Amino acid sequence: MRLITCTLAITLGCSPLLAKDEKSKTNERLDDAASLFAEIMGTPDKAIPQNLLDKSYCIILVPSLKKGAFVLGGKYGRGFAMCRNSSGQGWGPPAAVRIEGGSVGLQIGFSSSDVVLLIMNDRGMKRLTTSKFTIGGEATAAAGPVGRDATAQTDALLTAEILSWSRSKGLFAGLSLEGATMRNDLDENKAMYGQPWDNKQVLTSGVKPPAAAGKLLAELNKYSARQTH
């Protein structure tokens, strides 16, 4: 009984430390997401096209998506989704997401890349309020064009709910995430808001963004403060 009591006391004593450590890691990921967006948009000839960014309903930033394979392949990353305020002016609070996926075939190797996704219409935005969805399955997706002044000319780009890009070893290019699953990250949301809210609650409640998201929201407003149609 004494052993159980001691174990329980140690566990309860460590809980605040674990929570603090998780919040610190979340804050680091928010900073990484801000830096990712600023670095990409700071290179005009290799950036996300400005007209697409301005038309987007939401953006998802995933720093360091991990991909690995040894016959069976997989990908995994954690990031944040931000949608525009209902007025179209400014951006709302970040909601945490996880991207997961797998593949089968003759493959081997490991890599890491930064991922950016734009949600281009109301249908895509509604996907973010579900617990999970498959990119290229429930949600139509296409690899995004590169270059700040590039235009969306193909039917795939014009009708896609999601446009996606990646940056790996300094190279920024369109990305296909067909078959990957996007889920709510309740642990990350709890670290930001103190409650394990799902993304529908975060994105539609008007909750105040955490202070650690200030840099990220400032960068989004710097490059696209208001939605255009």
Side-chain angles (χ1 to χ4, degrees), residues 185-217:
D185 192 334
L186 302 184
D187 292 337
E188 198 89 304
N189 282 342
K190 183 176 181 180
M192 288 191 290
Y193 302 104
Q195 299 290 338
W197 286 334
D198 60 32
N199 288 352
K200 183 176 182 178
Q201 291 172 296
V202 173
L203 296 173
T204 63
S205 67
V207 65
K208 182 179 179 180
K215 179 181 176 182
L216 175 55
L217 294 174

mmCIF file of all heavy atoms in Angstrom, residues 185-217:
data_model
loop_
_atom_site.group_PDB
_atom_site.id
_atom_site.type_symbol
_atom_site.label_atom_id
_atom_site.label_comp_id
_atom_site.label_asym_id
_atom_site.label_seq_id
_atom_site.Cartn_x
_atom_site.Cartn_y
_atom_site.Cartn_z
ATOM 1 N N ASP A 185 -5.627 17.059 -33.569
ATOM 2 C CA ASP A 185 -4.582 16.763 -32.584
ATOM 3 C C ASP A 185 -5.053 17.308 -31.241
ATOM 4 O O ASP A 185 -4.766 18.452 -30.874
ATOM 5 C CB ASP A 185 -3.262 17.401 -33.006
ATOM 6 C CG ASP A 185 -2.076 16.901 -32.196
ATOM 7 O OD1 ASP A 185 -2.298 16.477 -31.041
ATOM 8 O OD2 ASP A 185 -0.945 16.934 -32.693
ATOM 9 N N LEU A 186 -5.795 16.499 -30.509
ATOM 10 C CA LEU A 186 -6.411 16.949 -29.265
ATOM 11 C C LEU A 186 -5.377 17.270 -28.188
ATOM 12 O O LEU A 186 -5.581 18.187 -27.376
ATOM 13 C CB LEU A 186 -7.396 15.892 -28.754
ATOM 14 C CG LEU A 186 -8.530 15.508 -29.711
ATOM 15 C CD1 LEU A 186 -9.481 14.531 -29.034
ATOM 16 C CD2 LEU A 186 -9.286 16.724 -30.206
ATOM 17 N N ASP A 187 -4.278 16.534 -28.167
ATOM 18 C CA ASP A 187 -3.232 16.796 -27.179
ATOM 19 C C ASP A 187 -2.628 18.184 -27.384
ATOM 20 O O ASP A 187 -2.389 18.927 -26.428
ATOM 21 C CB ASP A 187 -2.133 15.733 -27.262
ATOM 22 C CG ASP A 187 -2.607 14.359 -26.827
ATOM 23 O OD1 ASP A 187 -3.593 14.291 -26.074
ATOM 24 O OD2 ASP A 187 -2.003 13.355 -27.249
ATOM 25 N N GLU A 188 -2.386 18.528 -28.643
ATOM 26 C CA GLU A 188 -1.808 19.836 -28.954
ATOM 27 C C GLU A 188 -2.808 20.952 -28.640
ATOM 28 O O GLU A 188 -2.434 22.012 -28.121
ATOM 29 C CB GLU A 188 -1.410 19.887 -30.429
ATOM 30 C CG GLU A 188 -0.424 20.989 -30.773
ATOM 31 C CD GLU A 188 1.023 20.543 -30.624
ATOM 32 O OE1 GLU A 188 1.392 20.094 -29.523
ATOM 33 O OE2 GLU A 188 1.773 20.644 -31.609
ATOM 34 N N ASN A 189 -4.081 20.714 -28.944
ATOM 35 C CA ASN A 189 -5.101 21.710 -28.617
ATOM 36 C C ASN A 189 -5.196 21.923 -27.104
ATOM 37 O O ASN A 189 -5.389 23.055 -26.639
ATOM 38 C CB ASN A 189 -6.460 21.281 -29.175
ATOM 39 C CG ASN A 189 -6.588 21.539 -30.666
ATOM 40 O OD1 ASN A 189 -5.831 22.322 -31.243
ATOM 41 N ND2 ASN A 189 -7.531 20.865 -31.298
ATOM 42 N N LYS A 190 -5.069 20.863 -26.360
ATOM 43 C CA LYS A 190 -5.109 20.995 -24.899
ATOM 44 C C LYS A 190 -3.929 21.814 -24.401
ATOM 45 O O LYS A 190 -4.057 22.628 -23.478
ATOM 46 C CB LYS A 190 -5.108 19.617 -24.239
ATOM 47 C CG LYS A 190 -5.223 19.686 -22.709
ATOM 48 C CD LYS A 190 -5.314 18.308 -22.090
ATOM 49 C CE LYS A 190 -5.453 18.420 -20.571
ATOM 50 N NZ LYS A 190 -5.546 17.083 -19.934
ATOM 51 N N ALA A 191 -2.749 21.607 -25.007
ATOM 52 C CA ALA A 191 -1.566 22.376 -24.617
ATOM 53 C C ALA A 191 -1.753 23.860 -24.908
ATOM 54 O O ALA A 191 -1.257 24.716 -24.167
ATOM 55 C CB ALA A 191 -0.329 21.841 -25.335
ATOM 56 N N MET A 192 -2.499 24.181 -25.983
ATOM 57 C CA MET A 192 -2.705 25.586 -26.342
ATOM 58 C C MET A 192 -3.832 26.244 -25.572
ATOM 59 O O MET A 192 -3.733 27.412 -25.188
ATOM 60 C CB MET A 192 -2.995 25.699 -27.847
ATOM 61 C CG MET A 192 -1.790 25.436 -28.743
ATOM 62 S SD MET A 192 -2.090 25.896 -30.482
ATOM 63 C CE MET A 192 -3.266 24.626 -30.976
ATOM 64 N N TYR A 193 -4.927 25.489 -25.334
ATOM 65 C CA TYR A 193 -6.132 26.100 -24.787
ATOM 66 C C TYR A 193 -6.536 25.582 -23.409
ATOM 67 O O TYR A 193 -7.510 26.072 -22.838
ATOM 68 C CB TYR A 193 -7.292 25.910 -25.764
ATOM 69 C CG TYR A 193 -7.004 26.492 -27.128
ATOM 70 C CD1 TYR A 193 -6.679 25.675 -28.207
ATOM 71 C CD2 TYR A 193 -7.016 27.867 -27.330
ATOM 72 C CE1 TYR A 193 -6.394 26.211 -29.451
ATOM 73 C CE2 TYR A 193 -6.727 28.414 -28.575
ATOM 74 C CZ TYR A 193 -6.412 27.577 -29.622
ATOM 75 O OH TYR A 193 -6.113 28.120 -30.854
ATOM 76 N N GLY A 194 -5.801 24.602 -22.910
ATOM 77 C CA GLY A 194 -6.131 24.067 -21.587
ATOM 78 C C GLY A 194 -7.240 23.046 -21.605
ATOM 79 O O GLY A 194 -7.577 22.465 -20.569
ATOM 80 N N GLN A 195 -7.838 22.805 -22.776
ATOM 81 C CA GLN A 195 -8.912 21.828 -22.941
ATOM 82 C C GLN A 195 -8.648 21.022 -24.214
ATOM 83 O O GLN A 195 -8.167 21.578 -25.204
ATOM 84 C CB GLN A 195 -10.271 22.524 -23.061
ATOM 85 C CG GLN A 195 -10.681 23.361 -21.864
ATOM 86 C CD GLN A 195 -11.021 22.501 -20.658
ATOM 87 O OE1 GLN A 195 -11.348 21.315 -20.806
ATOM 88 N NE2 GLN A 195 -10.960 23.076 -19.469
ATOM 89 N N PRO A 196 -8.979 19.730 -24.208
ATOM 90 C CA PRO A 196 -8.760 18.906 -25.404
ATOM 91 C C PRO A 196 -9.854 19.134 -26.446
ATOM 92 O O PRO A 196 -10.552 18.206 -26.860
ATOM 93 C CB PRO A 196 -8.787 17.479 -24.848
ATOM 94 C CG PRO A 196 -9.737 17.563 -23.687
ATOM 95 C CD PRO A 196 -9.497 18.922 -23.073
ATOM 96 N N TRP A 197 -9.984 20.383 -26.884
ATOM 97 C CA TRP A 197 -11.022 20.717 -27.853
ATOM 98 C C TRP A 197 -10.730 20.093 -29.210
ATOM 99 O O TRP A 197 -9.572 19.946 -29.609
ATOM 100 C CB TRP A 197 -11.106 22.231 -28.027
ATOM 101 C CG TRP A 197 -11.736 22.942 -26.873
ATOM 102 C CD1 TRP A 197 -12.630 22.431 -25.988
ATOM 103 C CD2 TRP A 197 -11.515 24.301 -26.470
ATOM 104 N NE1 TRP A 197 -12.993 23.381 -25.066
ATOM 105 C CE2 TRP A 197 -12.329 24.534 -25.329
ATOM 106 C CE3 TRP A 197 -10.726 25.329 -26.965
ATOM 107 C CZ2 TRP A 197 -12.364 25.761 -24.685
ATOM 108 C CZ3 TRP A 197 -10.754 26.555 -26.331
ATOM 109 C CH2 TRP A 197 -11.573 26.767 -25.205
ATOM 110 N N ASP A 198 -11.805 19.745 -29.928
ATOM 111 C CA ASP A 198 -11.607 19.313 -31.305
ATOM 112 C C ASP A 198 -11.514 20.558 -32.190
ATOM 113 O O ASP A 198 -11.753 21.693 -31.734
ATOM 114 C CB ASP A 198 -12.716 18.357 -31.761
ATOM 115 C CG ASP A 198 -14.110 18.976 -31.710
ATOM 116 O OD1 ASP A 198 -14.232 20.210 -31.927
ATOM 117 O OD2 ASP A 198 -15.087 18.240 -31.468
ATOM 118 N N ASN A 199 -11.191 20.372 -33.450
ATOM 119 C CA ASN A 199 -10.934 21.514 -34.320
ATOM 120 C C ASN A 199 -12.188 22.297 -34.670
ATOM 121 O O ASN A 199 -12.121 23.502 -34.959
ATOM 122 C CB ASN A 199 -10.198 21.060 -35.574
ATOM 123 C CG ASN A 199 -8.760 20.676 -35.267
ATOM 124 O OD1 ASN A 199 -8.280 20.884 -34.157
ATOM 125 N ND2 ASN A 199 -8.074 20.115 -36.246
ATOM 126 N N LYS A 200 -13.330 21.644 -34.638
ATOM 127 C CA LYS A 200 -14.575 22.375 -34.864
ATOM 128 C C LYS A 200 -14.778 23.398 -33.759
ATOM 129 O O LYS A 200 -15.164 24.554 -34.026
ATOM 130 C CB LYS A 200 -15.759 21.408 -34.918
ATOM 131 C CG LYS A 200 -17.083 22.106 -35.214
ATOM 132 C CD LYS A 200 -18.218 21.098 -35.347
ATOM 133 C CE LYS A 200 -19.524 21.818 -35.687
ATOM 134 N NZ LYS A 200 -20.649 20.861 -35.865
ATOM 135 N N GLN A 201 -14.499 23.007 -32.509
ATOM 136 C CA GLN A 201 -14.645 23.930 -31.392
ATOM 137 C C GLN A 201 -13.655 25.098 -31.505
ATOM 138 O O GLN A 201 -14.012 26.258 -31.261
ATOM 139 C CB GLN A 201 -14.438 23.189 -30.075
ATOM 140 C CG GLN A 201 -15.553 22.207 -29.749
ATOM 141 C CD GLN A 201 -15.232 21.356 -28.533
ATOM 142 O OE1 GLN A 201 -14.286 20.568 -28.557
ATOM 143 N NE2 GLN A 201 -16.007 21.508 -27.471
ATOM 144 N N VAL A 202 -12.423 24.787 -31.889
ATOM 145 C CA VAL A 202 -11.404 25.835 -31.988
ATOM 146 C C VAL A 202 -11.719 26.804 -33.121
ATOM 147 O O VAL A 202 -11.678 28.028 -32.959
ATOM 148 C CB VAL A 202 -10.000 25.225 -32.200
ATOM 149 C CG1 VAL A 202 -8.981 26.328 -32.461
ATOM 150 C CG2 VAL A 202 -9.586 24.394 -30.996
ATOM 151 N N LEU A 203 -12.067 26.269 -34.293
ATOM 152 C CA LEU A 203 -12.213 27.097 -35.487
ATOM 153 C C LEU A 203 -13.527 27.867 -35.546
ATOM 154 O O LEU A 203 -13.631 28.850 -36.279
ATOM 155 C CB LEU A 203 -12.072 26.232 -36.743
ATOM 156 C CG LEU A 203 -10.704 25.575 -36.947
ATOM 157 C CD1 LEU A 203 -10.743 24.615 -38.125
ATOM 158 C CD2 LEU A 203 -9.612 26.627 -37.150
ATOM 159 N N THR A 204 -14.526 27.444 -34.785
ATOM 160 C CA THR A 204 -15.836 28.086 -34.885
ATOM 161 C C THR A 204 -16.267 28.804 -33.613
ATOM 162 O O THR A 204 -17.305 29.470 -33.611
ATOM 163 C CB THR A 204 -16.917 27.045 -35.247
ATOM 164 O OG1 THR A 204 -17.027 26.066 -34.192
ATOM 165 C CG2 THR A 204 -16.588 26.342 -36.555
ATOM 166 N N SER A 205 -15.493 28.704 -32.534
ATOM 167 C CA SER A 205 -15.929 29.263 -31.250
ATOM 168 C C SER A 205 -15.513 30.713 -31.040
ATOM 169 O O SER A 205 -16.021 31.384 -30.142
ATOM 170 C CB SER A 205 -15.365 28.423 -30.100
ATOM 171 O OG SER A 205 -13.953 28.545 -30.043
ATOM 172 N N GLY A 206 -14.550 31.197 -31.843
ATOM 173 C CA GLY A 206 -14.049 32.541 -31.616
ATOM 174 C C GLY A 206 -13.150 32.644 -30.407
ATOM 175 O O GLY A 206 -12.952 33.729 -29.848
ATOM 176 N N VAL A 207 -12.565 31.508 -29.995
ATOM 177 C CA VAL A 207 -11.677 31.496 -28.839
ATOM 178 C C VAL A 207 -10.458 32.388 -29.093
ATOM 179 O O VAL A 207 -10.019 32.543 -30.240
ATOM 180 C CB VAL A 207 -11.225 30.049 -28.525
ATOM 181 C CG1 VAL A 207 -10.383 29.482 -29.659
ATOM 182 C CG2 VAL A 207 -10.463 29.986 -27.217
ATOM 183 N N LYS A 208 -9.933 32.976 -28.041
ATOM 184 C CA LYS A 208 -8.759 33.832 -28.168
ATOM 185 C C LYS A 208 -7.531 32.988 -28.482
ATOM 186 O O LYS A 208 -7.270 31.994 -27.815
ATOM 187 C CB LYS A 208 -8.533 34.596 -26.859
ATOM 188 C CG LYS A 208 -7.351 35.561 -26.905
ATOM 189 C CD LYS A 208 -7.196 36.293 -25.577
ATOM 190 C CE LYS A 208 -5.995 37.237 -25.621
ATOM 191 N NZ LYS A 208 -5.823 37.957 -24.332
ATOM 192 N N PRO A 209 -6.753 33.358 -29.506
ATOM 193 C CA PRO A 209 -5.543 32.589 -29.839
ATOM 194 C C PRO A 209 -4.550 32.634 -28.683
ATOM 195 O O PRO A 209 -4.481 33.636 -27.959
ATOM 196 C CB PRO A 209 -4.980 33.320 -31.069
ATOM 197 C CG PRO A 209 -6.120 34.091 -31.621
ATOM 198 C CD PRO A 209 -6.963 34.477 -30.446
ATOM 199 N N PRO A 210 -3.768 31.572 -28.486
ATOM 200 C CA PRO A 210 -2.738 31.595 -27.443
ATOM 201 C C PRO A 210 -1.668 32.625 -27.785
ATOM 202 O O PRO A 210 -1.411 32.907 -28.961
ATOM 203 C CB PRO A 210 -2.177 30.174 -27.467
ATOM 204 C CG PRO A 210 -2.465 29.668 -28.846
ATOM 205 C CD PRO A 210 -3.761 30.301 -29.234
ATOM 206 N N ALA A 211 -1.044 33.177 -26.763
ATOM 207 C CA ALA A 211 -0.018 34.203 -26.979
ATOM 208 C C ALA A 211 1.104 33.687 -27.862
ATOM 209 O O ALA A 211 1.673 34.447 -28.667
ATOM 210 C CB ALA A 211 0.530 34.662 -25.629
ATOM 211 N N ALA A 212 1.417 32.400 -27.752
ATOM 212 C CA ALA A 212 2.518 31.817 -28.526
ATOM 213 C C ALA A 212 2.241 31.806 -30.019
ATOM 214 O O ALA A 212 3.155 31.623 -30.820
ATOM 215 C CB ALA A 212 2.802 30.398 -28.041
ATOM 216 N N ALA A 213 0.981 32.012 -30.416
ATOM 217 C CA ALA A 213 0.627 32.020 -31.835
ATOM 218 C C ALA A 213 0.736 33.411 -32.439
ATOM 219 O O ALA A 213 0.475 33.585 -33.638
ATOM 220 C CB ALA A 213 -0.788 31.492 -32.027
ATOM 221 N N GLY A 214 1.140 34.401 -31.644
ATOM 222 C CA GLY A 214 1.197 35.780 -32.120
ATOM 223 C C GLY A 214 2.089 35.968 -33.331
ATOM 224 O O GLY A 214 1.727 36.660 -34.297
ATOM 225 N N LYS A 215 3.266 35.369 -33.316
ATOM 226 C CA LYS A 215 4.202 35.504 -34.431
ATOM 227 C C LYS A 215 3.626 34.891 -35.699
ATOM 228 O O LYS A 215 3.723 35.481 -36.792
ATOM 229 C CB LYS A 215 5.528 34.828 -34.074
ATOM 230 C CG LYS A 215 6.572 34.888 -35.173
ATOM 231 C CD LYS A 215 7.854 34.168 -34.740
ATOM 232 C CE LYS A 215 8.874 34.146 -35.873
ATOM 233 N NZ LYS A 215 10.113 33.408 -35.468
ATOM 234 N N LEU A 216 3.009 33.733 -35.567
ATOM 235 C CA LEU A 216 2.426 33.051 -36.722
ATOM 236 C C LEU A 216 1.302 33.876 -37.336
ATOM 237 O O LEU A 216 1.251 34.074 -38.560
ATOM 238 C CB LEU A 216 1.916 31.673 -36.292
ATOM 239 C CG LEU A 216 1.154 30.844 -37.326
ATOM 240 C CD1 LEU A 216 1.955 30.668 -38.594
ATOM 241 C CD2 LEU A 216 0.771 29.496 -36.732
ATOM 242 N N LEU A 217 0.388 34.374 -36.519
ATOM 243 C CA LEU A 217 -0.726 35.160 -37.028
ATOM 244 C C LEU A 217 -0.245 36.473 -37.640
ATOM 245 O O LEU A 217 -0.801 36.952 -38.638
ATOM 246 C CB LEU A 217 -1.726 35.428 -35.902
ATOM 247 C CG LEU A 217 -2.437 34.172 -35.356
ATOM 248 C CD1 LEU A 217 -3.298 34.521 -34.151
ATOM 249 C CD2 LEU A 217 -3.277 33.511 -36.438
#
